[in-house]
Amino acid sequence: MLASESARTFEAMKEDLLRSFPGQFALVCGRRLMGVFVSPDEAMTAASKLFEANDLPPGTPILISEIAARSSIRVLATPYKRVVAPAPVAR
């Protein structure tokens, strides 16, 4: 799945989103609208929770875009889970 697929999906539903949610932020993954949020921070938090819950596989591109005729905020990301290095062994 490519980030451009998420962008195409957003553009295809943009007019409907503008009528219902102007000024809010859409979270799109592939061909799916994952939700609409009041702020980009809320959308990022929701995306993080989806990845943590394994509802979206790591490396799946997402798009967060302002719902506006001309978006001033648009984030394309490919999140991965952070791998925590084991603590050093004391000697």
Side-chain angles (χ1 to χ4, degrees):
M1 179 183 324
L2 301 173
S4 59
E5 182 177 28
S6 297
R8 282 192 302 272
T9 298
F10 175 76
E11 290 302 322
M13 59 178 64
K14 185 174 175 178
E15 290 302 316
D16 290 335
L17 290 170
L18 272 168
R19 280 192 285 281
S20 301
F21 307 103
Q24 295 188 41
F25 295 84
L27 169 59
V28 180
C29 180
R31 295 182 182 149
R32 293 174 41 203
L33 174 66
M34 305 306 291
V36 174
F37 303 90
V38 175
S39 72
D41 290 340
E42 287 182 12
M44 287 289 235
T45 299
S48 177
K49 288 179 182 178
L50 288 168
F51 281 101
E52 289 298 321
N54 291 320
D55 290 336
L56 294 174
T60 302
I62 61 164
L63 167 71
I64 295 171
S65 182
E66 179 182 18
I67 300 169
R70 295 186 75 183
S71 300
S72 61
I73 297 175
R74 185 172 263 199
V75 178
L76 288 168
T78 306
Y80 290 91
K81 288 185 181 180
R82 180 181 293 175
V83 176
V84 179
V89 177
R91 294 183 188 232

